[in-house]
Amino acid sequence: SLRQGLAHLSQVLRAHFFDAVGMLQKLVGRVAGSIFTFFFVLMVAAFLLIDWGRIGRFFASLVPADRQQNLGELARAIDEKLSGVVRGQAVICLVNGTLTGIGLVIFDVPFVFVLSLVATVLSAVPIFGTIISSIPIVLMALTQGFHAGIGMLLWIIGIHALEAYLLNPKIMGSHAHIHPVIVAFALLAGESTFGFVGALFAVPVAGILIAVFNSLHERVLHPAGGPVAAPVAPRDEEPTAAPPAS
């Protein structure tokens, strides 16, 4: 009866009340921790940008004067690689969002701009960003029909296959001046070794290692202050014989 059902529901709620409270407490704690971490990172980044010159001079002062030029060249090379990685990832995000928007228009899915923006932002996060951004897109496409949902899912799979096997190595390689094969192997090694974190930092770490290798290679081939070959003195010209007297 209805009374028995309500009584049973009341017993279940009383039995699992503290479990629900504990889960809610953990959820609130994680959300609060994430918000704190986000604003803490923003604050630290702001301080670094404001005092970047002073921080750079401090670390430069820790290096012997005869090595500061080499350190400066290495720092500029690393900065060039990392900035290229950031530019390449930004281009990939824009391409991903644009292709997602085209698919949303083709399958007549509502909220095209919002869903494209979500795909653009989350594509900066390897693997998990793709999964998270695909869920609301496919669910919204299913509201237009089963065929629209399946079509949108296949479209997203095609986009990320194109990104993983073509765009990511090619765009990252051209912007960061890293060969696409190295980018592909770096992503594969990072993801298989450290999972999500490894895939996220694979290309930046590869760029740093390449910059360090190029710097050391240049110093080995062209050491500063190395021995310089002495110039060859010109040979004295032999005196020409005087013509015989007539």
Side-chain angles (χ1 to χ4, degrees):
S1 64
L2 179 60
R3 181 176 298 178
Q4 292 176 347
L6 292 176
H8 178 70
L9 179 62
S10 177
Q11 292 176 359
V12 172
L13 291 177
R14 283 198 299 267
H16 297 282
F17 174 75
F18 292 103
D19 294 337
V21 171
M23 292 178 59
L24 182 62
Q25 183 179 3
K26 290 181 181 179
L27 178 62
V28 172
R30 290 181 179 178
V31 171
S34 300
I35 294 175
F36 171 78
T37 303
F38 176 74
F39 284 103
F40 178 78
V41 170
L42 287 182
M43 180 183 68
V44 172
F47 284 135
L48 288 176
L49 290 176
I50 292 173
D51 291 334
W52 183 251
R54 187 185 305 175
I55 295 173
R57 288 191 296 271
F58 169 75
F59 282 105
S61 65
L62 301 178
V63 181
D66 57 339
R67 299 292 183 181
Q68 289 186 2
Q69 182 178 359
N70 295 330
L71 179 64
E73 294 175 355
L74 177 60
R76 285 189 292 271
I78 293 176
D79 179 71
E80 180 182 356
K81 294 293 184 184
L82 293 181
S83 60
V85 169
V86 173
R87 289 194 303 269
Q89 189 62 53
V91 173
I92 291 174
C93 291
L94 291 176
V95 172
N96 195 317
T98 302
L99 294 178
T100 302
I102 294 174
L104 293 171
V105 172
I106 292 175
F107 293 101
D108 197 21
V109 180
F111 305 108
V112 175
F113 177 77
V114 175
L115 294 176
S116 299
L117 182 62
V118 170
T120 302
V121 174
L122 292 181
S123 60
V125 182
I127 304 173
F128 291 100
T130 300
I131 298 174
I132 295 172
S133 64
S134 301
I135 293 174
I137 293 174
V138 174
L139 290 177
M140 192 60 63
L142 286 173
T143 61
Q144 304 301 110
F146 180 75
H147 295 289
I150 296 299
M152 199 65 222
L153 178 61
L154 294 177
W155 183 271
I156 292 174
I157 293 175
I159 290 174
H160 293 293
L162 180 67
E163 173 188 341
Y165 295 104
L166 180 62
L167 296 181
N168 208 329
K170 186 64 177 177
I171 294 177
M172 281 293 189
S174 62
H175 282 79
H177 303 292
I178 305 174
H179 197 278
V181 174
I182 298 179
V183 175
F185 276 107
L187 291 172
L188 180 62
E191 194 276 332
S192 61
T193 305
F194 298 103
F196 165 71
V197 178
L200 185 63
F201 291 100
V203 179
V205 171
I208 293 174
L209 293 178
I210 291 175
V212 173
F213 173 79
N214 290 337
S215 178
L216 294 176
H217 185 256
E218 183 68 20
R219 288 178 58 188
V220 170
L221 291 182
H222 306 287
V228 180
V232 179
R235 299 176 59 182
D236 294 332
E237 296 182 356
E238 298 181 358
T240 56
S246 57

